[in-house]
Amino acid sequence: MDDGPNPDRGCALCAADGGEPVVRAQAWRIVLAGDPDYPAFTRVIWNAHVAEMSELGRADRDELMRVVLAVEEVQRASLSPDKVNLASFGNVVAHLHWHVVPRWRDDRHFPEPVWGRPASGRDPAVEARRASVAARIPAYLEELRRRLG
């Protein structure tokens, strides 16, 4: 991968895309995370190896947040989720990236975070939701590419 000016050879997001590439720009990239329960789980990854938002200058921070919010807007318009979760942790992979996750009240973890404890007794609803969202992924990706590509 090695897109940034300061690649860290041991960093998973410097070494690889971090998911299925959707849109790539000089400073950032958008990928699908590949989570089977959340087919529209999207990452916005800053290409240069930095760990924190505060390591970016104002213009770069503004650019990154513009992209994160655009992904959220496209998810809301294309997928009609009940909620969109935005998260930037980097506890495991200390490379600046944002998770943009559309959520539904009948998904596997709601109202917990997608990394939380799954709810029980939802398998039929989870399967139906997964299929419904997966069917809309092509339109979602097309709109992301149109808007940000």
Side-chain angles (χ1 to χ4, degrees):
M1 178 67 225
D2 239 47
D3 277 340
N6 305 315
D8 178 333
R9 303 267 183 247
C11 171
L13 295 179
C14 286
D17 287 323
E20 177 188 331
V22 176
V23 179
R24 187 182 307 275
Q26 182 176 351
W28 50 264
R29 63 191 182 271
I30 299 170
V31 302
L32 284 180
D35 188 309
D37 284 333
Y38 301 93
F41 185 140
T42 304
R43 289 186 187 108
V44 178
I45 303 166
W46 194 253
N47 288 333
H49 185 81
V50 298
E52 308 296 345
M53 290 287 292
S54 59
E55 293 180 56
L56 299 179
R58 182 182 194 110
D60 286 343
R61 282 193 311 263
D62 289 350
E63 172 67 4
L64 180 55
M65 292 315 299
R66 178 190 73 79
V67 175
V68 169
L69 295 174
V71 172
E72 177 189 306
E73 290 169 353
V74 172
Q75 284 184 354
R76 292 181 67 207
S78 301
L79 305 170
S80 302
D82 294 319
K83 181 73 177 90
V84 175
N85 291 171
L86 301 176
S88 179
F89 299 115
N91 297 339
V92 174
V93 179
H95 182 122
L96 184 57
H97 64 286
W98 283 83
H99 303 273
V100 187
V101 189
R103 301 295 306 280
W104 288 268
R105 286 180 179 83
D106 60 359
D107 73 32
R108 184 161 311 281
H109 295 88
F110 201 88
E112 297 291 324
V114 296
W115 301 279
R117 187 176 41 168
S120 60
R122 289 192 187 162
D123 289 345
V126 167
E127 240 350 276
R129 176 63 61 198
R130 181 185 304 132
S132 170
V133 173
R136 291 182 276 167
I137 292 290
Y140 167 60
L141 298 179
E142 182 179 319
E143 182 59 18
L144 279 177
R145 290 178 181 120
R146 186 194 70 74
R147 191 151 168 202
L148 295 164

